[in-house]
Structures are given as C-alpha cells and as structure tokens.
Amino acid sequence: MLEHVADGNGDPIAPAPRPTPDELLGRVGRGDRAAFGALYDETSPRLFGLIRRLVVDAAQAEEVTQDVYLEIWQTAARFDAAKGSAIAWMFTLAHRRAVDRIRSAQAARDRDLRIGARDLDVPVDTVAEAAETSVEHDRVRGALGDLSDLQRECVALAYYGGLTQREIADRLHVPLGTVKTRLRDGMIRLRTALGVTT
C-alpha cells in the first residue's frame, strides 16, 4: 500500500509529478546524469522499438540505440522545445541513425558482391575461343575475297596497314575521293557478307 505523506496540517500531499521527457532533456542538456538515466528509462523502449522495426537485426538495433543515446547526451543542449517535443527530436535522431545503418550495411553487401564477382575465377575454354576466332577469320577472309581487287586493296591498307585515307590515296596515286568511295563500297559489301546490321 502506498503511504500518504501529510503536510504540517495533516493534509495529504500528492506525490510530485514525474518530469516530462522535455524537462528531462533540458536537464540532460545542462549535464545532469540522473536526468539522462531517467530519460533513458522513460524513452528507450519506444526508441528501440522504432529502430528495431527499421534495422530488423536485434544486435544492430541495440548498437544503433546506444549510438542514439550517446548522440542525445552529446547534443541535448541543442534541443529547441520551440521546434517540437523531445520525443519527436529523439525519434528523428533514431530514424536518421537507423537509416544510416541500413545504407551502410547495404553498401557493404554491394561492395562484397562486387569484390566477390571480380575475384571469381571464371574458367575459360581456350580451345573453343581459338576455334571461334579461327572461324571468324575465315569468314572475314571469304568476305574480303568477294570484294573487287580495288576495294580489297583499300580495305586491307586501312584496316590491316593502319593507313589513313589520305595515306592510301598517296600510296595508290589516286584521288582521295576515289579512296573514300572504294572504302565505303567495300565496307557495305563486307557488312552484308558478314551479316552485320549496323
């Protein structure tokens, strides 16, 4: 049973009301450790619940909650009751920290996947690659054989010899426009023969 405390006249005195989170946070901002303990006891179940819903993992939610209360202790002096309630301010800190943890965890997972994919040694079938390359060379050689001698000469000088159109014209002693036409026509025929659509 609760004992009634009486004043000097014998009238019962009501117990002092518990301080509100706003009052406690104001005292925490002035460095009151007892007020911080009371604020923690009063608000931690609600803050932890919010963080746990966001972060999901209980151990990480506990770490984030601890970080939030550390931030509350360090920044309580900046709390402005004119801008909102202490609970709203604390929930904002908690939400921000939880989202930061989620983003950090996602970034770590993405980084691990990238590193894992980079380090994954994919077996290469060198025999199949060599055969495919040989078949492609044969197709190109066959398509080059279908060009006129003049077109083939210009294409070979440009792509195998690495010469510019001007250098080809100088070497063959023909006008630059003629080289351009032979190259253009030769490339159109090559694309058609090799089935290239672009």
Side-chain angles (χ1 to χ4, degrees):
M1 291 195 113
L2 294 174
E3 294 182 21
H4 292 283
V5 178
D7 63 8
N9 299 330
D11 294 329
I13 299 175
R18 288 174 35 185
T20 66
D22 290 66
E23 294 166 340
L24 289 170
L25 189 58
R27 289 169 36 197
V28 170
R30 294 187 294 277
D32 186 335
R33 291 174 185 261
F36 181 72
L39 181 67
Y40 178 85
D41 292 341
E42 178 77 23
T43 60
S44 62
R46 291 168 63 188
L47 253 61
F48 178 74
L50 168 70
I51 294 166
R52 177 74 194 271
R53 279 193 303 278
L54 294 170
V55 175
V56 180
D57 180 68
Q60 285 198 32
E62 289 172 2
E63 287 178 20
V64 172
T65 303
Q66 183 178 0
D67 291 344
V68 169
Y69 277 98
L70 178 61
E71 185 175 359
I72 289 169
W73 173 255
Q74 293 171 338
T75 62
R78 291 188 228 151
F79 168 68
D80 183 0
K83 293 183 179 177
S85 70
I87 290 293
W89 183 75
M90 294 168 67
F91 267 50
T92 300
L93 294 179
H95 186 270
R96 199 173 297 144
R97 285 278 179 157
V99 169
D100 287 348
R101 177 61 63 98
I102 292 166
R103 287 180 180 152
S104 174
Q106 184 62 48
R109 280 193 296 275
D110 292 347
R111 184 175 52 252
D112 290 346
L113 282 173
R114 280 194 308 273
I115 290 170
R118 183 191 68 209
D119 293 343
L120 182 62
D121 191 17
V122 179
V124 178
D125 186 348
T126 55
V127 174
E129 268 191 28
E132 189 174 320
T133 302
S134 176
V135 168
E136 286 300 315
H137 282 291
D138 289 344
R139 286 185 64 214
V140 171
R141 234 185 328 269
L144 281 170
D146 292 340
L147 299 180
S148 71
D149 291 339
L150 297 173
Q151 290 170 340
R152 185 174 34 263
E153 184 178 35
C154 285
V155 169
L157 288 171
Y159 290 95
Y160 295 117
L163 300 180
T164 65
Q165 292 176 344
R166 168 67 62 199
E167 291 169 334
I168 295 170
D170 291 345
R171 179 176 289 190
L172 300 178
H173 308 291
V174 296
L176 179 60
T178 303
V179 170
K180 289 182 178 184
T181 301
R182 290 176 186 172
L183 280 172
R184 186 194 70 229
D185 292 347
M187 291 307 296
I188 290 171
R189 288 182 69 182
L190 281 175
R191 283 190 197 106
T192 302
L194 295 172
V196 177
T197 57
T198 56

